[in-house]
Each structure stands twice: as C-alpha cells, then as structure tokens.
Amino acid sequence: MTIPHRGRRRLVLLSIATAAAGALVATTPAIGMPVHHRHPVSGGMHAQVSTGGGDDGGGEESDSIQEGADQRAEARNSPGVVQPGAYGAAWAAMQGLKRTGGDWRQVTKLPYNSDDPRYRDYNSNSTAGMGNVTGRAAAVVADNHGDVYAGSAGGGVWRSTSGGGNWQSISDQLPAQATGALALDGRGRLWLGTGEATTNADAYLGAGVYMLDDPSHSRFSPHNRIGGDELQSTSIHELRISGDKIWAATTEGLWSHSITNLGGPWKLEFAPNPDYLPGHSLASDSNAAYENIVSDVAFDPANPDHVLAAVGWRSGVLPNGSSYNGYYTNTGGSWQLVTSGLGDLPTDAGNVGAVTFAASVDHQRYYAITESPKSLNAGGGLGGIYVSKSGSPFGPWTQIANATTLAASGSALSNVGGQSWYDESLIVDPNNHDHVYAGLEEVFQTTDGGATWTTPGIYWNFPLACWSLDPNAQSGTCPQTTHPDQHGLAIGSMNGQSYVVAANDGGLYRRPVDGAANSLGHATDWTSLNDGTIDTLQFYSVGVGNDPAGKGVVVTGGLQDNGQSVLRGYGSKAVDTVMGSNFGGDGGMTLVDPTNGCNEAQEYVYLEINVTQDCAVNNGLTAPTTYDVPPPDQATSAARFIAPFTADLKNPNLWVAGGQHVWVQNQGFAIRSSSAWTSAFDLGAGHVATAVASSGGKVYAAWCGPCNSQGFTHGVAVGNADGTGWQQLALPANLPNRYISDITVDPADSSHAYLTFSGFSREWNEGPGSGIGHVFETHDSGASWTDISANLPDVPVNSLSLTPAGGLLVGTDLGAVYRAPGRAQWRAMAELPAVSVDQILLGPDGRVYAATHGRGIYSIELRDLGNG
C-alpha cells in the first residue's frame, strides 16, 4: 500500500527576515521561495528521499531563487524602511497601557506528540519518528551539573536542571523573546544574544545581549542587559568568548565587550560596509540589512585577540550587485580580507556564505561548516566540513566532508546541506578532539576526525524498511529520531554521564555522547526533551469548536514546521493529556466549526486547504478521512504563503479564500473536490489577497502587489459571493499605505467593518504614504474610514475579532489589547510575554484564544476583561 504523505516544509527564503520586540525590521527584497510538492511514501521503501534544495523531504523539488518573497518581514516593513528603535518604543508604550482583569492560561503547555497513533491519516506526518515536539530551538548550551539552557526562536530562554525536561522559562520579562545565541563563560555565567539569526521568514530581531550571574537559580530581567543600545535591532549569530572578551557576530557587524568590566558600551570591531549601519549615511538604503553580516568568529589559541571572522550574505551577491563575502582578520591593527593560505578552506567570495566554527577544548583542533553561495544558487548549498589540525583558525584547513560524503553516511536525503544557510551547528567532544557532531538538516557524527561519518539523527523514518504506518507499531521498528533542521548542539553531563543535546525545528533532543546505533548508523537512544513543560510552539492560527463528545472544546492551530496540533476536551475534566498532530507540513490558517470542533479545515501553504469532519482520527488505514481541496490559485502559487480563508458569518457553508482571485464554495466542510471553488472576482495580475471577510454573502478582500517595499501597493475590493457587484474601493487618504493584515465585519451590519494594518507609522517607516494608525472602522462599506487607534501603541497589528457586545480583541506583535464596548481607549490584555499574537478569536466557550508565534496558544475569560 502506498500512503501519500505530506512533505514537511518550512518557509525557505533567500532574503533576510525580521521583526521583533526591541528591533529594527530590515527591508527585504523579494528574492526567493521554493515551490512545494507532496511525495509518495510506501511502507518498506529503501531509496533515499531527495529534497532538492528545499525542506520538503520529498523528491523532485528545489528552491526557486526568483520566486516569492520574505512575506512575514515585508508585511511589517512595507512600504519602506523601518528605523531602529521602533519595537523598543512600541514595547515601552505597551507596558504603559492600563491592563484588563483576568489571567491568561497557556492552553498548549502539555506534550505535543507528532507521532500520536490517534492521527494517522493521509495528510499527517505521524510515524516520522520525531515523537514529542515543540517550537524551533535556536540555540542550546549545557554544563557539567545537569543544567541545560535552551533558547527558542520566539519563545525566550528555558532552563532545565535535570539534563533536559522539567523546563522553566527564565526570560519572560525581556522585551525580546527571540534567541540568536547562548554562551556559558568560565564562571558559569549565561550570556544571551537576542535576535534569531537564521535569516528565514519568521526570524525576529532582538534587543541586545543579557547576562545572568547565577543562571541555575535566577531569571533574566531588563537590568541584565550588557552595554547600551548598540546591539538593539540586530540578530546575533554567535557569542564567542576569548580571553577576557566576549565577541558578538551579528547582522550589523562584529562587536566585543569585556567580560570582567561589564560597564560601558559594546565596541564595534569590524563592519565591512559601515556606511549602512544604523545612524550612518546609507542606513535607509534598501540593501542595508544585507551589508554587514558576520556569521561567526574564531580565535588563534596563541593570541586570543587575533581573530578570523566569517563575513557575508548567504547568497553571495547582494541585491545591488555587490559582494563582500569572505574571511577577514585583524592583522597589524586593521582588518584585511584573507585571500589565500587557508588550505582547502575556500576564500573566494562565491564560496564563503554562512559559516560555523567549533574549537576543541584542548586547542588541538578547529572545525568549520561552510555554506557556498555558488552551490546554493545552483540548487545545493553545502560547501563542506573542514578541520584545522593545527588548532588554529588560520589553518591549514583540510576538507573532511561534503554533500556527497554525508549523503552516503546513512542520510535520508540526497541533497544534504541544501539549507546549510539555515541549519548549521557544530560541537566537539571535550574528551576527544576527533569526535564531532555536526548539525545540518540531520545530525551527523564522526569519531575519527572526519575519516568516516554516520547519521545518528536522520531526517525522518519514512524511507526506511523498518518504518510502518500501523498505529499499533508507532514507527514500526525504527528508533526515535530527531526533528529535522538543526540549529544548535551542546555537550553536557550529569552525575558523570555525558550527553549531547540537539536543538532544532522541533525543540530539543538528547542522547549519550558515545551512544548506541544500529547497522545503518542511526542512533537508537535519542530522547525527546519536549515533555510539555516547554511550550515554544509557533502558531500562525487557532481554531476552537465544541467537542462532539460533549466534553469541553477542541483547540487546534497551524504551526511553523510542526503541522497542525489538535487538543480535545479542553476546559473539561476529560481534557487530553497529550496533543496530537492531525495534519502535517507547515500549518497555515485554520477554520473550525464552532458547533463541532472536529469539522476542521487546515491550510498547508499557498491555499492548499485540507478538510476533515472527524478531527482526522485514525480509521484503521483504510480510506482517508481528510480531503485535499485547494482553490485553483494554489496550483500556481498565486497566493500568499500563509493565505487567508474564512467562512461567511451568516452562512457557515459559504467559504471565501483569497489568492489572486477571490474564491468561494458553498459546501462547507462537506467539500471533497477543488472543482467546488469558483472565482467571484479577480483582484488583478500581481495582486494577492492578504485578508478576506464575508457576511450574508457580502465579501471584503484586501490585497497587496507588489507586496514588498519596491513599489508597494494595496487595495480593498468589495462585492458579492455570487460574483456580482464587485468594485475596487477608492481608499481615502487617511488610510496608511501599509500591509492590511485583517478585515472583520460586524455580523449585524455588513456595511460596518474594521481594517487592521501591520508595519509601523510614518514616525518609524520612511516609505511613501506609510501614514498613521493601525485600526480603522467603516460604517458605509468602505467609502470612508475612521482611525480608531487612539492610544494603541505603534506596533504591527495582525488580527482583530469582534465580541458579541461590540468589544474589540486585537493581536499585535507584542501581545494582545482590548477595547471594551462603548469605549475609545485600549487596554493591554492581562500579562503576556513580548511575543507576536498572530490570530485572536472568541471561542464558543466564552474564552478568548490567542495564537502566539513562539509561546503556543493562550486563553482568557472574556468576562474577566472588564468594561474599563
């Protein structure tokens, strides 16, 4: 039997990504997004699965460098360049708001089993072998006392004192929850570099570097920041300690600070193009975000101040046609480009992209993983893995692995390292300088200095003979593997037992440093550390409906790289103790029947919509219980990566979806074929919907195109679901020329609606027409609009929901706000960390649900918000 499995997929982009608390949002030209496909998997297939340059895990696809854009970033940037300090000011304003009553409850703080045997259907990746997962872990460090510190992409820093598991959040009070780097110094102090530096679509910038003296017992606070504002609005690739200095490799150059004298600012050591730094003459240039990227730094063991810096943009040539990629060193008091003398390590700009270094404890070895822009632009990516047996980063270096070598080491992929710009990590066994773990899409290992390699952490188990879809056999006889896409590796110990921890798109996994493996070289002793005490899930959406079993509600939502989660019985005594995954891939928008939460529609990407009417539960491996029903724009990717779709407020069987066209279908969750969709309106060539809403057959559709800062345009079209009466509104001058993130219609009056705007107002955005305000209201079907932002902080707004009494629930990049019925002022909704609320809605149980992109789903009682 052949089971067509959905290919997992993360948004693979070749442009810089940004947005975050305390951060500049960099401008982002549209230069790269892949197409996507499914792939067939048969139980017992031995052939390797090819991923091309993408992350689908599934055959025949490669990155299309000219397709798409960094859409999450452009929603916040366009129409221009956002200046430093925008998020810092927004965070201060948010903290200054009065707060509502009530307390948020973290709905998803329990294990999320990606292999849950209850959900084994057509569109699930269950049985892949990843087990319990959480959101992307960007960095990890560990000590020899059982302390492990994990930095998440958007959910802050977490501590375990038991070698992993039983996690505690220790950074909730910081204005940025995105982690770029972690480091432990010789005194056991924990250094945190905020701002994730993977340059992918949902990476967030940060608010600087923080340090904890006693990390095993204390928590970060804003007072722990080192230096001033120098590293605000940057992403930090690595924090490296050498001698009495800590060095920060950032998207805004290479910086250093004393670790003995903690006062004073950071020192800019090197920036290849300083005119593009904030406050300099070209800071507003559209290419500024690309011009000063430093990915890592290494040190001469004989001289801790003599450094080798890996510098450059991962695609080599910048959008303006220039290139500065290469290795630089501070010889003779000035920085010089190294053009030769490093042995096998390439020094030409076309072969120096993202680089990660690792030194052995005994100073006898230096290792490096390199990404090659030439290879990346040809559909590959990995440059190679290298060793310097002199122990010096100045070589000579010898190549010890390349994509072919690693593909033959037991990998489940053929194009190994196709995402080496995104997932690079290295760690050397402190007790054996020839024993190295390397992280790319998978985890690789050598115990002999690179002469031979194995793949202890494979991408997934689907291609293996041991694999089975049978729910009674989990993944057959295959052992647990890690989630794909490795971002960090650490070696620690507890009670004399050493272990390695892998940080990846699914969270944290651990195995003994000298662990066991089967005949294929796949580890048999990985343990997921995602025990439910850590919730860093990155939701794009949330859906809530009454559980058909009559117990509580079903809570579900789409996630970055972790499919769709489903939790049944929430709010009742019979609540699930484990969440399952009933759809695979990147989960996008979600639509749930409020009267029956097992009627669900989930978007993969580009409007690939799937429906189920039984929560997609396992049915014994006979006929599928989910159906793939995308509107036609999906076939041509003529839609946003996370594209809007919704149900009519008065007719739940009438659905509206937005790509280049406004698509409608009248079968509700009973739809079984894409042919049920018809086009009600063409928004125009190059235009794609950013938000849709419908009530009584009257449809609103917001669009952009171009959607980036190079010629940004937007609009709103209004018409009827039957295709009649459509018109493009003449938007009044008081509406900002920014990305329209949501439309909400009053169910009692379809001429009464709300628009929300992402991005920043003109105080921070230098683009044409960026305007002022984030929430606008119309009473005449869009002929005129009133700015009702009032005291709402100047922060990107993502979602708006209307309560039955007329209150407004709003999700922003820095939490949630509420405007009570009949009031004009906004209040912060209780206490949330500084995390993006991508969608907010009112459930049928009277609770407000917030889908956060980094801290899971939260809920709060609507009645507790008050009327102030």
Side-chain angles (χ1 to χ4, degrees):
M1 177 177 65
T2 299
I3 305 294
H5 264 268
R6 163 177 305 208
R8 287 179 50 258
R9 140 137 264 121
R10 184 190 44 72
L11 178 54
V12 181
L13 297 172
L14 301 185
S15 57
I16 215 165
T18 53
L24 157 70
V25 181
T27 186
T28 323
I31 54 174
M33 181 180 292
V35 295
H36 91 277
H37 304 279
R38 297 179 185 274
H39 81 283
V41 177
S42 57
M45 180 171 67
H46 295 273
Q48 290 184 331
V49 179
S50 169
T51 63
D55 185 30
D56 191 43
E60 297 109 30
E61 80 179 313
S62 62
D63 291 344
S64 176
I65 295 175
Q66 298 303 315
E67 182 190 355
D70 187 342
Q71 298 180 14
R72 193 172 179 87
E74 70 191 17
R76 290 154 172 80
N77 299 340
S78 299
V81 177
V82 177
Q83 296 303 304
Y87 273 101
W91 175 247
M94 188 71 78
Q95 293 298 98
L97 289 181
K98 293 181 179 179
R99 298 195 177 272
T100 69
D103 294 299
W104 289 100
R105 181 191 303 174
Q106 199 162 10
V107 177
T108 51
K109 196 169 184 179
L110 72 169
Y112 175 29
N113 184 3
S114 66
D115 291 326
D116 193 327
R118 296 175 295 172
Y119 306 100
R120 295 279 167 100
D121 200 39
Y122 174 76
N123 287 318
S124 171
N125 278 335
S126 190
T127 72
M130 303 163 200
N132 288 347
V133 298
T134 190
R136 186 167 71 246
V140 62
V141 291
D143 64 19
N144 292 323
H145 308 290
D147 298 323
V148 179
Y149 304 96
S152 67
V157 181
W158 297 72
R159 173 180 63 216
S160 169
T161 58
S162 56
N166 297 312
W167 300 94
Q168 294 178 309
S169 175
I170 61 172
S171 64
D172 283 1
Q173 299 305 311
L174 296 186
Q177 296 296 309
T179 304
L182 294 171
L184 285 168
D185 66 20
R187 293 171 50 182
R189 299 178 300 183
L190 178 63
W191 295 76
L192 161 64
T194 61
E196 189 191 13
T198 46
T199 64
N200 59 297
D202 60 346
Y204 285 75
L205 297 179
V209 174
Y210 298 80
M211 188 275 289
L212 270 184
D213 272 313
D214 184 17
S216 62
H217 299 98
S218 57
R219 299 170 184 264
F220 285 104
S221 79
H223 302 294
N224 297 128
R225 193 172 75 168
I226 302 299
D229 293 335
E230 304 84 36
L231 298 184
Q232 190 182 67
S233 305
T234 64
S235 290
I236 297 177
H237 287 254
E238 298 289 351
L239 291 173
R240 302 292 191 185
I241 297 170
S242 180
D244 62 355
K245 288 183 181 179
I246 186 165
W247 297 70
T250 83
T251 52
E252 300 288 358
L254 180 64
W255 299 73
S256 73
H257 200 285
S258 170
I259 62 173
T260 57
N261 180 6
L262 301 180
W266 285 80
K267 177 185 176 183
L268 177 61
E269 296 279 358
F270 174 62
N273 299 296
D275 287 345
Y276 291 90
L277 293 175
H280 292 247
S281 60
L282 296 177
S284 298
D285 188 278
S286 61
N287 294 303
Y290 302 89
E291 294 280 358
N292 288 287
I293 296 172
V294 180
S295 57
D296 207 349
V297 59
F299 310 95
D300 185 343
N303 180 358
D305 290 322
H306 187 202
V307 307
L308 184 72
V311 177
W313 168 233
R314 69 173 185 240
S315 294
V317 178
L318 298 176
N320 62 6
S322 66
S323 178
Y324 62 96
N325 289 38
Y327 297 99
Y328 293 77
T329 185
N330 55 346
T331 302
S334 64
W335 289 84
Q336 303 294 328
L337 179 66
V338 178
T339 58
S340 62
L342 297 183
D344 289 350
L345 194 65
T347 57
D348 62 293
N351 282 307
V352 183
V355 177
T356 300
F357 293 115
S360 64
V361 170
D362 62 9
H363 305 298
Q364 299 301 303
R365 297 287 187 272
Y366 240 112
Y367 292 88
I369 294 182
T370 71
E371 173 256 328
S372 164
K374 286 182 180 178
S375 177
L376 180 69
N377 294 327
L382 182 65
I385 303 179
Y386 300 82
V387 63
S388 169
K389 293 187 176 181
S390 70
S392 168
F394 296 94
W397 292 86
T398 302
Q399 188 179 74
I400 54 175
N402 56 28
T404 302
T405 305
L406 298 178
S409 71
S411 169
L413 307 178
S414 61
N415 181 31
V416 172
Q419 292 182 177
S420 52
W421 57 267
Y422 172 71
D423 35 33
E424 283 186 355
S425 52
L426 271 176
I427 193 75
V428 185
D429 184 345
N431 297 314
N432 179 358
H433 62 222
D434 289 326
H435 185 194
V436 180
Y437 280 91
L440 292 163
E441 295 93 347
E442 301 163 295
V443 180
F444 299 93
Q445 178 183 215
T446 179
T447 58
D448 53 17
T452 59
W453 290 86
T454 59
T455 312
I458 62 167
Y459 193 89
W460 53 17
N461 287 325
F462 291 142
L464 307 178
C466 58
W467 174 79
S468 172
L469 190 65
D470 187 346
N472 296 314
Q474 266 308 73
S475 298
T477 59
C478 296
Q480 164 99 64
T481 187
T482 67
H483 194 288
D485 299 331
Q486 314 305 316
H487 304 295
L489 289 162
I491 291 177
S493 65
M494 186 174 183
N495 300 325
Q497 302 297 311
S498 296
Y499 46 78
V500 61
V501 180
N504 51 52
D505 271 16
L508 290 306
Y509 294 77
R510 183 189 66 208
R511 73 181 294 242
V513 170
D514 296 304
N518 60 22
S519 60
L520 298 175
H522 304 152
T524 58
D525 48 12
W526 285 109
T527 298
S528 170
L529 302 179
N530 310 305
D531 59 0
T533 60
I534 182 172
D535 182 7
T536 59
L537 292 168
Q538 296 165 282
F539 281 93
Y540 291 112
S541 62
V542 60
V544 185
N546 290 322
D547 194 299
K551 296 180 179 180
V553 293
V554 179
V555 183
T556 184
L559 291 149
Q560 185 273 335
D561 214 14
N562 282 295
Q564 181 101 357
S565 71
V566 58
L567 171 64
R568 296 191 62 174
Y570 176 71
S572 75
K573 293 181 181 179
V575 63
D576 277 352
T577 58
V578 175
M579 290 186 294
S581 178
N582 59 353
F583 292 100
D586 273 288
M589 294 305 297
T590 301
L591 182 60
V592 173
D593 181 351
T595 67
N596 182 346
C598 280
N599 287 336
E600 300 174 6
Q602 181 254 9
E603 178 192 19
Y604 181 16
V605 291
Y606 301 114
L607 279 182
E608 184 163 342
I609 296 172
N610 302 271
V611 297
T612 180
Q613 292 190 278
D614 62 1
C615 280
V617 297
N618 170 50
N619 69 341
L621 308 184
T622 55
T625 62
T626 63
Y627 303 89
D628 192 18
V629 293
D633 279 348
Q634 187 277 326
T636 57
S637 297
R640 299 287 287 173
F641 185 81
I642 305 298
F645 71 98
T646 190
D648 187 274
L649 295 176
K650 294 184 177 179
N651 178 4
N653 288 326
L654 173 62
W655 290 9
V656 179
Q660 177 183 319
H661 300 79
V662 178
W663 298 98
V664 297
Q665 64 97 358
N666 291 284
Q667 299 175 16
F669 291 98
I671 184 174
R672 295 293 182 265
S673 171
S674 294
S675 63
W677 294 97
T678 60
S679 175
F681 186 65
D682 186 343
L683 293 171
H687 298 168
V688 286
T690 63
V692 293
S694 179
S695 181
K698 184 175 183 176
V699 180
Y700 293 77
W703 55 266
C704 63
C707 296
N708 59 23
S709 294
Q710 284 68 50
F712 177 84
T713 59
H714 72 183
V716 177
V718 180
N720 299 314
D722 63 6
T724 64
W726 279 90
Q727 61 173 322
Q728 293 277 9
L729 297 181
L731 298 182
N734 69 315
L735 283 184
N737 183 38
R738 303 199 310 271
Y739 184 93
I740 301 172
S741 54
D742 203 4
I743 302 175
T744 303
V745 181
D746 183 347
D749 179 4
S750 62
S751 65
H752 180 204
Y754 300 86
L755 283 185
T756 66
F757 287 80
S758 188
F760 287 90
S761 294
R762 63 181 177 225
E763 178 182 357
W764 299 105
N765 191 312
E766 296 188 351
S770 55
I772 293 174
H774 290 273
V775 182
F776 290 77
E777 181 179 23
T778 182
H779 288 276
D780 52 17
S781 300
S784 62
W785 297 88
T786 300
D787 184 358
I788 59 170
S789 304
N791 65 323
L792 182 71
D794 185 4
V795 63
V797 169
N798 306 313
S799 174
L800 184 148
S801 288
L802 189 64
T803 72
L808 298 182
L809 308 164
V810 165
T812 81
D813 268 9
L814 293 176
V817 296
Y818 175 61
R819 197 187 78 170
R823 303 290 183 173
Q825 298 294 294
W826 299 86
R827 290 193 174 199
M829 290 178 61
E831 294 278 353
L832 274 179
V835 65
S836 176
V837 175
D838 279 21
Q839 188 177 16
I840 193 166
L841 57 79
L842 181 63
D845 56 352
R847 296 188 69 89
V848 177
Y849 289 82
T852 78
H853 202 75
R855 288 297 292 269
I857 296 172
Y858 285 79
S859 75
I860 191 171
E861 288 280 0
L862 174 62
R863 65 189 178 193
D864 291 343
L865 299 182
N867 296 311

